Structures are given as structure tokens and as C-alpha cells.
Amino acid sequence: MTQYAICTDLNRCVGCMSCNASCKLINSVPIGNFWNKVLRIGPNPAYEGAVFPDVEWYYLPVQCQHCKDAECIKVCPTEASHKLADGTVQIDKEKCIGCQFCVMSCPYGVRYLNKEERVVEKCTLCEQTTSQGGLPQCVSQCVGMAKWFGDTDKGIETFEGPEDYTGKRRVLGDYVEKYTDDDLHQLPNVGNNPSFVYILRGKKWQGSIE
């Protein structure tokens, strides 16, 4: 079994939007639509009863979570939405009829209708690159070294990031600051079992992205 995913160290994310911009460029995402968006969560009180300036926030990159039990696949009437052997959720544009059932069923709002092509689009996890052993664009272009890519079945400590000065890919387990199981989070699970993982230390995780 394989389940490709991204793990994001939110303590390292500075909200620079490099992942967003590089994704739109490499995938020709239409203006007004996003495969990858960055939300600011907060500001919230840093402790109970705190008032400004004692506040905290973090940036949360959100994209298709390439769910293990994706709702978008269940509702697709033409099987345009499907899973690959690497665990990613993809869209066959030749089968897509633009009904948008998948858009309505996605709990994260990360699908949209391409009005010119009349097909639904979303993050592909750069399958055209990862299938050749490369990294997703948002991972390779993350200036804060916050995003890491790998197979969840092998553990997030094995996830990889851009190469170091020797030409060797960095590995999450050797690079990021220590974290505990309590520091690991996922977006709300409504039975779809999202595969992406977020690391957040020392701040309160907000369970909703609304």
C-alpha cells in the first residue's frame, strides 16, 4: 500500500504564499481559483483571558487532502474522480461532465469548476512530477522548509524536502524540531480520512478551517 501525502510544519510556515504562487504558475490555475491556499488562523488569545498584544496565530496551507476514503469519488457519476495506486485522488477530464457533485461533497472546499473547459479541477499533488520521483511544486518551492512529501505508510519522519547543498534531499525526521504525537493534527475528518498531516507545537490547534 502507498499513500502519498504532505506533512506541513506549521511552526515553520511564514505565510509567504510561495507554495500558492508556484502551484498556480506550474499548473496554469485560472485567476480566482486555487489548488493551494494559505489561511491565517487567528489572531487568538495566547492564553486564557489574554488581550492584544498577547495573541498568537499560525498559517495553514490547505489543498486537496488526497483522502483515503474520499467522498468526491463516491459521488462521481462517471468515475472521473478516482484513486491511483500511489493513493492520490485524480480527475480524468475526459470523463468529467462538470456536474460538480464532487465540489459539493468536498469538506475542504478545494475543488472548483473550470468554466472554460467545463471540468472540475484541484490539486493533483503534481502527479506528473512525483510519478517520476520528483517533489510536488509546493514542497520544492517552500522557502521556509515547512512542507514535506512522502508515503504515510512509511511514517512522516521519512518524508522528504528539497536537496541540501550536497545535492541530497533533506528528510523530515533529521531536519525539523522535535514533536510529539500531541503536536500532530489533521483537518476535520467526516469519514473521508484525510491523508495530510500538520505539525503544530506550542499553539492551540483550531479544529475547523471555516
Side-chain angles (χ1 to χ4, degrees):
M1 296 290 292
T2 301
Q3 180 60 64
Y4 282 166
I6 288 176
C7 177
T8 306
D9 186 341
L10 300 181
N11 294 97
R12 297 188 63 90
C13 180
V14 297
C16 70
M17 307 292 283
S18 177
C19 58
N20 174 291
S22 61
C23 172
K24 286 182 71 69
L25 178 64
I26 198 70
N27 294 299
S28 301
V29 180
I31 294 175
N33 297 117
F34 302 93
W35 286 16
N36 181 359
K37 53 189 174 183
V38 181
L39 308 179
R40 187 185 72 179
I41 308 301
N44 294 307
Y47 52 87
E48 186 174 355
V51 296
F52 184 83
D54 293 333
V55 295
E56 65 181 20
W57 66 85
Y58 60 90
Y59 295 101
L60 179 67
V62 176
Q63 61 205 90
C64 174
Q65 301 291 292
H66 293 275
C67 304
K68 298 177 182 179
D69 194 22
E71 292 296 320
C72 55
I73 293 178
K74 297 177 185 177
V75 300
C76 180
T78 64
E79 298 184 349
S81 289
H82 62 283
K83 250 186 180 294
L84 298 184
D86 60 15
T88 62
V89 177
Q90 304 294 340
I91 301 173
D92 185 338
K93 290 188 176 182
E94 292 187 358
K95 293 182 178 181
C96 181
I97 58 176
C99 68
Q100 301 184 69
F101 288 168
C102 60
V103 176
M104 293 180 279
S105 71
C106 176
Y108 312 118
V110 294
R111 288 176 169 241
Y112 65 91
L113 178 69
N114 183 317
K115 294 182 179 179
E116 290 188 4
E117 299 183 22
R118 300 300 302 176
V119 295
V120 171
E121 296 180 333
K122 68 169 192 66
C123 160
T124 63
L125 208 53
C126 290
E127 191 272 336
Q128 74 278 11
T129 301
T130 57
S131 62
Q132 302 299 316
L135 296 172
Q137 187 77 358
C138 62
V139 174
S140 65
Q141 301 302 313
C142 180
V143 299
M145 292 297 298
K147 287 192 152 196
W148 304 82
F149 170 75
D151 181 359
T152 58
D153 289 344
K154 295 181 180 178
I156 63 171
E157 66 276 2
T158 67
F159 280 29
E160 296 181 334
E163 298 175 350
D164 60 20
Y165 66 93
T166 68
K168 183 179 179 180
R169 281 190 185 168
R170 296 176 175 89
V171 178
L172 184 150
D174 299 330
Y175 191 85
V176 306
E177 296 179 13
K178 292 182 179 180
Y179 58 88
T180 67
D181 289 344
D182 290 337
D183 298 323
L184 302 180
H185 307 278
Q186 291 182 302
L187 295 188
N189 185 353
V190 293
N192 51 303
N193 296 313
S195 66
F196 282 27
V197 180
Y198 297 91
I199 301 173
L200 182 65
R201 314 170 195 78
K203 296 180 180 180
K204 182 180 179 181
W205 170 260
Q206 302 295 307
S208 174
I209 60 174
E210 296 179 356

